[in-house]
Amino acid sequence: MLRLLQSSQPVAWGIVPLTSALLFALGGWMAFQGGAAVEVPWSAWLAVLVSARWIHRMYLESGMRTRPGMVPSWAWVLAATPMLWTTPNSWWWGMALLWVSVGQGLRLRLGEPRPDLHFWLGVPAGLAPMLAPELAAWCLVLGGVLFVWRTPKASEALMWALGMATPWWIRGGVTWWATGSVAMDAMPWSECAVNLSPMVWALAPMAAVGWVWRQQSLIRATARQRVVRKWTQWPGLLTAVIGVVATGVGLDHCSGQALRLTGSACVVTWTLAWCFPPGWKGTKIMPWLALALSSVATLGPAIPGL
């Protein structure tokens, strides 16, 4: 499997949707065990696949080739697909937009003024809460991390703010948005009876190890690699922490769950590859272990006592 993940051949991409299809089918089997009518979350599955493809493209274009090239998109489907049957569709389309914002950020260079990119960084981030209001904190986290590692010029900050505000201006000016948004009509984000098994966190230990190893690698990284890794490594972690705090202190349960789970999925996306160190004898079995853990997470709610 690791050879497939490392391959640059177009056919190698097939492992990502096939893995997601396997986990999606397992989740469907679990959901239908009770015999009740269950709506199949095809829309959410499509959103995860679209996000995976975008993650793969921006990974290759960013120059982050120190680990198997297919792993970030593959890790994303490992972390996100097990949740699709128990979370609203709108979360995953909102995350697809947020991934577009992350991809625009990876195109920035230190010392190069790019107010146009800042605008297109802000637009998808501003759109995401219109589909899934529970993900609103993602916008602030992305903006905060962006401005910390790359202090913006006044024109860049202004264009980012305009980009964030533009979708809301359009919403107020177009009757279709004003009378019933996509979130209200097609994606029932208000139905948030999310009750996930602890097994959803099966990949968390591997992600934590990968996160530590990736931090240590910054010592040998180039300036460009440091910028890229900070931008991809911190937003997911900070968002997950916000979700944990919000859930722990009894704030909006739905928003806390959304931030905790989507943030954790993003941490897994960017750190899982670092559990496959070159030359280590156990490297070959690590992808299979990750797949097994994701499968257990998918089936977790069907296992008594979990």
Side-chain angles (χ1 to χ4, degrees):
M1 183 183 290
L2 194 56
R3 288 183 180 179
L4 279 174
L5 293 172
Q6 291 172 325
S7 174
S8 60
Q9 299 298 320
V11 70
W13 168 253
I15 193 174
V16 175
L18 284 176
T19 299
S20 188
L22 170 63
L23 296 172
F24 190 70
L26 285 175
W29 174 83
M30 178 271 295
F32 284 101
Q33 284 302 295
V38 179
E39 182 178 354
V40 180
W42 296 111
S43 176
W45 187 41
L46 177 60
V48 168
L49 293 180
V50 168
S51 297
R53 187 60 184 173
W54 178 249
I55 290 167
H56 179 57
R57 284 187 55 193
M58 65 178 168
Y59 177 84
L60 293 181
E61 294 171 359
S62 70
M64 293 186 293
R65 294 187 176 89
T66 53
R67 287 293 184 269
M70 197 67 68
V71 166
S73 55
W74 184 68
W76 166 252
V77 302
L78 287 183
T81 308
M83 306 181 196
L84 299 185
W85 289 87
T86 52
T87 53
N89 293 343
S90 55
W91 290 9
W92 305 105
W93 283 109
M95 284 305 303
L97 288 170
L98 291 170
W99 279 121
V100 172
S101 182
V102 172
Q104 293 298 315
L106 288 175
R107 297 172 60 191
L108 293 172
R109 300 290 186 272
L110 291 175
E112 178 185 359
R114 290 298 303 269
D116 58 326
L117 278 183
H118 278 74
F119 177 80
W120 293 111
L121 252 160
V123 168
L127 275 170
M130 297 176 74
L131 294 182
E134 300 87 359
L135 302 180
W138 264 102
C139 306
L140 300 178
V141 171
L142 286 174
V145 174
L146 172 67
F147 291 165
V148 166
W149 67 254
R150 189 185 183 282
T151 303
K153 299 180 182 299
S155 60
E156 293 176 330
L158 176 61
M159 293 304 291
W160 179 80
L162 289 175
M164 288 280 290
T166 295
W168 296 93
W169 290 337
I170 294 175
R171 185 187 189 277
V174 179
T175 303
W176 184 76
W177 281 106
T179 57
S181 69
V182 171
M184 294 178 183
D185 291 343
M187 300 180 183
W189 52 265
S190 59
E191 297 178 10
C192 192
V194 180
N195 184 21
L196 293 175
S197 162
M199 296 304 297
V200 170
W201 300 94
L203 290 170
M206 293 182 68
V209 171
W211 195 91
V212 173
W213 285 351
R214 197 179 188 208
Q215 285 293 323
Q216 293 179 341
S217 74
L218 291 176
I219 299 174
R220 305 183 302 276
T222 65
R224 172 59 183 159
Q225 287 174 331
R226 290 191 186 97
V227 168
V228 167
R229 290 177 189 174
K230 289 177 182 178
W231 176 232
T232 54
Q233 194 157 348
W234 285 103
L237 181 64
L238 293 176
T239 303
V241 169
I242 291 174
V244 170
V245 172
T247 303
V249 299
L251 297 178
D252 185 352
H253 172 73
C254 186
S255 297
Q257 284 276 42
L259 298 176
R260 186 162 59 94
L261 297 178
T262 57
S264 299
C266 292
V267 171
V268 172
T269 298
W270 295 116
T271 61
L272 191 64
W274 294 87
C275 294
F276 309 158
W280 180 47
K281 292 182 179 180
T283 295
K284 293 182 179 180
I285 69 169
M286 292 301 284
W288 295 104
L289 177 59
L291 180 59
L293 290 173
S294 185
S295 299
V296 171
T298 304
L299 294 172
I303 301 174
L306 294 180

